Amino acid sequence: MSTTQSERLRGLLEPLVSAKDLDLEEIEVSRAGRRRMLRIVVDSDEGVELDACAELSRAISDRLDETDAMGDEEYVLEVSSPGADRPLTEHRHYVRATGRLVKLQFHEGGELVARILSVDGDGLDLEVPGVKGRKPTTRRVEFPDIAKARVEIEFNRKDKKEEEA
């Protein structure tokens, strides 16, 4: 997708997304056979429910029908929330991942899997799991040191309500 089209779509759609108290995370236009696929990814601190995606999809579709932003070719519109394994690239992504296990890769090399305890403007406070029966430790990581970050999927973690019971 050209930068101009991307910027135009963002300018057109961001007010609709913001009006629903959501963040516009990503806009992607790709080919799917003869048609084009327009993927819009939205998120919020509370997550995004299916009904909110459907309602936003209708509003976006109506707005796109009023303009020539997608040209004359057919396209398929998909509005969704980000996947659980999407990269953490913005400060708000780290805040939303508080309490989750993340895998960090560092600019200086090496990586770390740890749980985010808290996030501030400069970096993260993490809980590093103990190895071979040792207790977990805490570690501070500054944002400039992080090359890549991604939430790790946990299938067997008890949620806080189960732990308190």
Side-chain angles (χ1 to χ4, degrees):
M1 173 170 66
S2 72
T3 304
T4 306
Q5 185 182 26
S6 176
E7 291 169 358
R8 184 171 181 203
L9 286 170
R10 183 167 287 280
L12 186 67
L13 303 179
E14 202 146 32
L16 292 173
V17 174
S18 295
K20 306 281 185 198
D21 293 323
L22 299 171
D23 296 315
L24 180 56
E25 295 290 343
E26 185 178 334
I27 298 174
E28 177 188 341
V29 177
S30 60
R31 284 261 169 222
R34 293 182 185 162
R35 295 183 186 164
R36 290 177 299 156
M37 174 73 95
L38 172 59
R39 286 189 178 94
I40 310 292
V41 179
V42 296
D43 201 4
S44 79
D45 290 343
E46 295 79 35
V48 182
E49 294 190 6
L50 187 59
D51 289 344
C53 283
E55 186 178 316
L56 183 59
S57 179
R58 286 188 291 275
I60 288 173
S61 179
D62 290 347
R63 176 65 53 89
L64 291 173
D65 288 347
E66 295 169 359
T67 71
D68 64 347
M70 290 300 293
D72 295 332
E73 292 182 68
E74 289 185 33
Y75 66 92
V76 175
L77 174 63
E78 178 184 294
V79 177
S80 64
S81 61
D85 63 344
R86 67 117 182 252
L88 304 176
T89 57
E90 303 284 336
H91 183 269
R92 68 179 176 265
H93 298 164
Y94 290 95
V95 171
R96 291 173 184 159
T98 299
R100 309 265 323 257
L101 199 62
V102 295
K103 181 177 186 177
L104 305 172
Q105 294 178 350
F106 300 103
H107 289 291
E108 298 294 321
E111 59 185 37
L112 174 67
V113 176
R115 189 167 311 282
I116 298 177
L117 297 175
S118 64
V119 180
D120 61 32
D122 299 319
L124 313 168
D125 290 315
L126 303 167
E127 178 184 74
V128 181
V131 179
K132 296 184 181 178
R134 294 186 182 157
K135 294 192 182 255
T137 58
T138 57
R139 178 172 171 185
R140 175 77 181 174
V141 174
E142 303 296 321
F143 288 123
D145 298 333
I146 301 170
K148 293 181 181 178
R150 185 177 301 275
V151 170
E152 290 285 286
I153 307 296
E154 293 181 88
F155 294 105
N156 59 354
R157 181 169 186 230
K158 294 179 183 176
D159 70 18
K160 291 179 184 178
K161 292 177 185 173
E162 288 178 35
E163 290 175 359
E164 293 171 358

